[in-house]
Amino acid sequence: MSDYLMNTYARMPVAFERGEGAWLWDDTGKKYLDAISGLGVCALGHAHPAVAKTICEQANTLIHTANLARVPWQETLAEKVCRVAKMDKAFICNSGAEAIECALKICRIAARERGIDHPEVVVMEDSFHGRTLAALSATGSRKVQAGFEPLVGGFIRVPFGDAEAVAKLAASHPNIVAVLLEPIQGESGVRVPPDGYLADIRATCDANNWLMVCDEIQSGLCRTGNWYAYQHEDIHPDIITSAKALANGVPIGACMARGWASEAFTPGRHGSTFGGNPLACHTACTVLDQMTELDLPGKAARTGSAMLASFREKLADNEAIVDIRGRGLMIGIEADRPLNHIKDQALERGLLINVTHDNVVRLLPPLIIDDEQAETIVSVVSELLNAL
Ligand SMILES: *Cc1c(COP(=O)(O)O)cnc(C)c1O
């Protein structure tokens, strides 16, 4: 505990000193298997040689020049990330919340184009979009919002997974310009919507000339067994936000758009001092190249299905378990009771896991984990849950 840090996190009683692949070592030399990868950030694992090499080379060459000049690595990254996301253009920023802010600003520009002065964006219950004021206002969690009123206005909230609830708004809400959702909700407990949900939302957006915005900050970049989770359904969003795994731990975010939305900004309407600097962008280029080379979408899909199957087998007789769900290596196990103590028990056994929404074990292991490491995660978590 530090006297000098603001009190924003209830931290686990451990400090990590170094890592390699899916392993971490704490300051006493104890070794841990990492099943959260810094909240879905270190998809390539820790101390990845190609990533480390890029960071060193770029730091020795040029870290930052500001967006007053062209930034070739930013241009290279924009093309690479737009190709895998199937988008036309990107704005590169420094975090997930910043990518959300950018997406919401595009929605407001779209409103002005359509002569709407008080635009509304449809958002979901139990969603999470970040901690800046607009992002927390879009977030569907009272815990995140409480005490920070007045919130940013212009959001209408409906239950997640209910496409009909979104469609119904059209008749009574002429000021709606966009729908913002996570294809799989992360923070609220790895909630996977019903099949066809994204396609139904897309159809409603098409019918009403609304923008469809997918927050893929957690679900994107191979995590769910596809480059982006929206690609599991045959749809195409207008805007995507991406961040977490994009530079394997170097802070970065991207808001991507296609068609009209990708042309919304003109010089001076948006910007960022650090956003798109050569260090973060070159690192992200290396990360995307590695993800392609290692076929991480395929690997996440295979390892994830094996883990889900193994969990279902090992927890079959456990009456405290309500649901085992997920896609690829984004896995949630929901219990009928609080599970917060489980993460300390796992830590004791040399495994790093996360509990979200109080009663859901959330696993976001590095996408490079091997089969043995995956099975170790399943065994330890199942033993702890079977001892509830
Ligand atoms: C983590 C996350 C964010 C916020 O990202 P930051 O980089 O912490 O600002 C937004 N949306 C989703 C879905 C996330 O998982």
Side-chain angles (χ1 to χ4, degrees), residues 328-339:
L329 287 170
M330 185 169 180
I331 295 175
I333 303 163
E334 182 178 344
D336 63 0
R337 62 197 74 177
L339 288 176

Side-chain angles (χ1 to χ4, degrees), residues 52-65 71-73 277-280 282-283:
K53 182 162 174 273
T54 297
I55 294 171
C56 292
E57 283 179 5
Q58 193 59 49
N60 274 310
T61 308
L62 186 67
I63 290 180
H64 176 87
T65 55
V71 182
W73 279 113
N277 67 73
L279 183 75
H282 190 179
T283 309

Side-chain angles (χ1 to χ4, degrees), residues 187-210:
E187 298 304 304
S188 71
V190 189
R191 293 172 10 130
V192 185
D195 284 343
Y197 174 65
L198 297 180
D200 289 347
I201 299 277
R202 178 71 265 180
T204 298
C205 288
D206 287 341
N208 296 286
N209 195 21
W210 300 343

Side-chain angles (χ1 to χ4, degrees), residues 23-81:
W23 298 105
L24 283 167
W25 284 264
D26 74 10
D27 51 8
T28 70
K30 183 175 168 184
K31 187 180 174 186
Y32 301 81
L33 184 54
D34 183 2
I36 53 177
S37 53
L39 290 171
V41 169
C42 302
L44 298 177
H46 302 285
H48 188 280
V51 175
K53 182 162 174 273
T54 297
I55 294 171
C56 292
E57 283 179 5
Q58 193 59 49
N60 274 310
T61 308
L62 186 67
I63 290 180
H64 176 87
T65 55
N67 289 298
L68 301 169
R70 280 182 50 219
V71 182
W73 279 113
Q74 191 182 116
E75 295 170 8
T76 306
L77 172 62
E79 179 175 350
K80 274 185 199 290
V81 75

Side-chain angles (χ1 to χ4, degrees), residues 349-360:
R349 308 238 338 228
L351 176 68
L352 195 59
I353 61 168
N354 177 246
V355 171
T356 187
H357 216 252
D358 288 333
N359 64 337
V360 182

Side-chain angles (χ1 to χ4, degrees), residues 339-347 353 355 361 384-385 388:
L339 288 176
N340 290 309
H341 61 287
I342 289 269
K343 50 174 201 275
D344 294 328
Q345 292 176 351
L347 202 63
I353 61 168
V355 171
V361 170
L384 294 173
L385 291 172
L388 275 179

